[in-house]
Amino acid sequence: MQGTKEITFGQFRLDVANERLWHGNKPIPLRPKAFAVLKLLLEHPHQLVNKQQVLDVVWPETFVGDAVLKDNIRQIREALGDDAESPIYIETAHRRGYRFIGTIAGSFDHSLAGRAHQGHRHTVLSAPNTVLGRQPELATLQALLQQSLAWERQTVFIAGEAGIGKTTLVQAFLEQASTGTEFAIAHGQCLEQYGSGEAYLPVLDGISRLCRSDKRERVLSILRQHAPMWLAQMPSLILQSENISHQSHGIGATRERMLREIAYAFEALTAEFPLLLVLEDIHWSDYSTLDLVSYLARRNDPARLMIIATYRPVDVILNDHPLKGVKRELQAHNLCREIALDCLPEKAIGEYLDGKLPGHRLPDQLKNAIYLRTEGNPLFMINMVDYLCEQGMIANTDGRWMLRVQMSEVERSVPANIRQLIEKQIERLNADEREVLDGASVGGMEFSTVAIAAGIERPVEWVESLCEGLARRHQFLSPAWILELPDGSITPRHRFIHVLYREVPYHLLSPTRRSQIHHRIATTGAAIYGSRSAEIAAELAMHFERSRDWEHALEHIIQAAGNATWKSAHYEAVELGRRGLAMQKFLPKSVHRDSQEITLRTILSAALMALKGFASAEVEQVYSDGKELFDQSTPSPQLFNVLYLLGLFLMVGGKLRAAFEIAERLLRLGLELNDPMLQMEAHRALGSTFLERGNSTEALNHFNIACQLHCDNRASPYQLTIGHDCKALSLCCAGAALWSLGYPDSALKKVQEGLAYARELSHAQSLAAADHYAAQLYELRGEPALAQGRAEEMIEVGMQYGFELWTAFGYIHLGCAQTRQGYLQSGIEQMKKGLSAYAATGGRIWLPYFQGLLAKALAESGRPSEGLALVEAAISTAESNDELFPIAELYRTKGELLLSSSRQEDAARSCFVTALAHARQTHSKAWELRTLISIHSHIPNDGTAGLDLAACCNWFSEGFETEDLRKADARLSIPSTE
């Protein structure tokens, strides 16, 4: 006997069949999950229903916390006008659960609720999810899984066209894998709307889903310990009090650190549970995600990790997606497997019909027609059979499924492709369902009901109810999970079952309607997230952009580009920067627009420097295109930042005169803005150009001012411009200037102070830079063992954090130290390795100095002619760069090599004279001393050599244990032979 479909209590009536709550004749809005909770409590009147029972029934197979349940109880009480302190209907059993304490009028068939719940589960599980014909592929995945369980990490690419069954295969595999073994599954989705603009999107998605499982607390603990940079990108997973700010963790947020952190976290997780990382539709992925897949596949550390990535080969080829290169490289090293899915054979269609329509009497011609029309595409096949059933062409008569029309009508009426078939399914929806589907398609592959309600201007409860209905029938949408929004509200979030179910309704919408929904979704999202809108900046930018609201789109593009920069996702930052610059053309000229353009060019140039080198042509183009803007812009911190990077580009590129002009402009800007921290950076930049141009006195003055400004303004907010600390660098550069001026002990004190300060700050970039200057100073003082220690640390830090420049310098310094300690061949190889790596960054500054070091090593190894050619090239480069700091030493080295290679005494004398003139012109007592030692050693008939050397030695007041002064003292101790 069919039970009662209504429950009456007090003045309320619960309409179970239609899922409505009534107060008399007035409907009371109640969200679907809140309705389900109330129904469950009414099914067990005056009985305690514990929290876990509620969660198991209302949120089956979904992890939600107590906060979600409490929010639904609150909604019920508001609807009933109930008071938690003195309840009439819903009583709280503290820390245990809830019970319904009101009086129920009438009866209720409890078995009906059970059947309804079971029916919902059955509908989902029996929905088209067949893996017919995929047994070999499943067996391959199972075999690879067993290898991963034996601590051999596995990477698998599953390739196939849309609808071929990639997702179905993965789901079936995950169901099998989870049977009998406890797995952690991180399942992420790449989204076409964002393309490569949102770094690590599917991985963050997968981690977020994993944190909705019962492993949430363990995963969060591991992320806190091993991957704080990643946890900082998922603030919804952590308490506000422990939220990690971007500023405090900005230093060292390099690509390598991001990769290393999550690799450590995954490996720690696999020590407790095997991990399956599933990335769907990776042909839409960002560059950073592909970097991570490659990085994880290449690591040698054992891990119970299996990566499964699905993709469409045609999309990869047509869009020239970098996945092609990544996969090819991994295959070349036997680090991945590919499973290519073909269309199903005709017999699989018969098997599908046997399973879906048991006992059918369908003609073989129908099976053949379905196969010919669908070409064995599983999604097309499933939808075609559903369509024939919906149209009544296949019907159940007396328990037998039969074809009710002629074959010719089937062939004539069935759409020719899957998209047209989906269109037919959409046409069969009622008007309300169609409206919700339209809004959902604009929302994206995944969407919240709050966003869709805003997009189509309908009540949230109404949207939730319709989405639940579609999901319950497994029609277009999957069952929802719960999301807590920044404002504390709770909303269901659904996902389209297949990407085509989103694409087709989206493209059926008129452009005007699409634009309107995009704009409403974006506006609501920005309002809900408020000060946290940067978390979804890429999503908001996409919605505003597609609604042609260029002003707001640009605002969020800049936020998204800033996010990418923080994550060192340089490819994504470049794409977003270029999109933003293109978007600006649609906005009227204004001061605000100019400020935004300067910010975009700053982000773009910094990202290109990282990708293409500090002095690449693409970086130069960014500045040349913006030159007019920079020249005409009013003073602002944004202008300072972009000019700072321009100065860096010019300096590293060896254009010291232009870099000097920029540094002077930076100082004027800092003074005009009355910002002592900008003035500090300007003095440091100006000091560096003075130093490299050979004016160590002026350089030292600016470095000292920068240090003093830092000391005087310690409490002022200070955001690092390019990832180094100004004080640490200024101290080290001051040491270089002091050495040149003839104060080697004072120089050592400054450099050691800068090195200690960098260590205190734990700034990786600052530490690498300090190591460079310390290594150089130890080389100049004649202490190669100490230089080697700093070089080795520089390489370690550089490789750990992805600092290509400092890693290259580290190898050069390491090689120099090795040659000075007698390991000539290995030292020369290291120096060449470092010089080659430095050249790849586009750098020219410091190149002459390093070439001079290598030239000396070549001469010592018996190759003076090779060294001579190299030092001549170094002199040419230094002179064209206006780089006077090493010029005296280069000419001295050339003179030494001329004597050792061919005894060209006159040419050597000329070089020494030129070196001495340069040293005295730049007031460099250190280079002057070295040159006079060479003259005294190699040109004995120079009558003034001894007097000049003695006078120079007498000038020095410190550094008497350094190599050069000890050499000079030894030369002066030799009796004259004149």
Side-chain angles (χ1 to χ4, degrees), residues 22 209 246 279 349 457 571 958:
W22 295 84
R209 293 191 194 193
H246 287 192
L279 306 173
I349 294 177
E457 296 183 306
Y571 283 107
E958 60 179 61

Side-chain angles (χ1 to χ4, degrees), residues 32 78 164 260 374 515 538 650 672 674 703 712 743 831 867 977:
E78 287 179 358
I164 203 68
R260 188 184 65 259
T374 65
S515 176
L650 293 169
E672 193 167 350
N674 195 28
F703 293 139
D712 294 342
Y743 301 97
M831 294 175 79
T977 58

Side-chain angles (χ1 to χ4, degrees), residues 323-533:
L323 171 60
K324 180 171 59 177
V326 169
K327 183 169 65 70
R328 185 189 300 123
E329 185 68 18
L330 292 178
Q331 285 174 323
H333 293 87
N334 198 30
L335 293 174
C336 73
R337 290 285 298 274
E338 179 167 83
I339 297 175
L341 299 186
D342 295 322
C343 292
L344 295 175
E346 186 172 352
K347 68 175 184 177
I349 294 177
E351 294 172 8
Y352 174 72
L353 290 172
D354 292 342
K356 183 176 178 65
L357 309 173
H360 70 82
R361 291 184 175 178
L362 299 175
D364 290 339
Q365 297 96 313
L366 177 64
K367 300 175 188 177
N368 182 256
I370 293 173
Y371 178 71
L372 292 176
R373 180 60 60 88
T374 65
E375 297 181 334
N377 182 291
L379 186 66
F380 195 178
M381 176 189 74
I382 290 166
N383 278 272
M384 184 172 173
V385 173
D386 287 346
Y387 177 77
L388 293 173
C389 293
E390 291 168 0
Q391 295 292 319
M393 296 183 192
I394 296 176
N396 191 323
T397 304
D398 299 327
R400 300 279 187 177
W401 292 94
M402 301 180 68
L403 183 64
R404 311 302 298 173
V405 298
Q406 297 295 316
M407 282 298 303
S408 58
E409 185 176 346
V410 172
E411 293 169 354
R412 183 175 61 253
S413 60
V414 174
N417 58 57
I418 181 63
R419 292 179 182 274
Q420 292 176 5
L421 197 54
I422 293 173
E423 288 178 16
K424 292 290 185 182
Q425 289 181 328
I426 294 171
E427 290 171 5
R428 291 181 61 81
L429 297 175
N430 64 43
D432 291 345
E433 291 170 334
R434 174 68 187 271
E435 185 178 4
V436 166
L437 190 67
D438 287 345
S441 72
V442 176
M445 190 67 185
E446 294 181 0
F447 59 88
S448 69
T449 54
V450 168
I452 304 316
I456 62 177
E457 296 183 306
R458 289 284 196 167
V460 174
E461 293 81 3
W462 184 83
V463 172
E464 285 184 12
S465 178
L466 287 164
C467 287
E468 285 279 340
L470 290 171
R472 202 163 32 243
R473 302 196 303 270
H474 207 77
Q475 193 172 10
F476 294 97
L477 305 181
S478 66
W481 66 93
I482 300 301
L483 175 71
E484 184 174 355
L485 298 173
D487 62 2
S489 62
I490 304 295
T491 179
R493 189 170 177 87
H494 287 271
R495 182 176 184 270
F496 279 93
I497 296 169
H498 193 279
V499 66
L500 291 178
Y501 291 149
R502 190 204 74 84
E503 289 180 1
V504 173
Y506 182 79
H507 291 294
L508 287 175
L509 280 169
S510 70
T512 300
R513 177 69 170 151
R514 277 202 305 263
S515 176
Q516 290 170 342
I517 297 174
H518 273 300
H519 195 267
R520 292 178 191 133
I521 289 174
T523 303
T524 300
I528 289 174
Y529 275 78
S531 61
R532 289 173 54 184
S533 63

Side-chain angles (χ1 to χ4, degrees), residues 6 51 56 186-187 210 250 299 306 423 490 512 514 641 693 739 752 775 930 961:
E6 291 187 349
K51 293 180 181 179
D56 287 345
H187 197 153
L210 179 56
R299 285 180 65 82
M306 186 172 180
E423 288 178 16
I490 304 295
T512 300
R514 277 202 305 263
N641 285 334
R693 297 182 76 195
W739 183 88
Q752 288 178 336
R930 282 198 177 184
E961 296 304 314

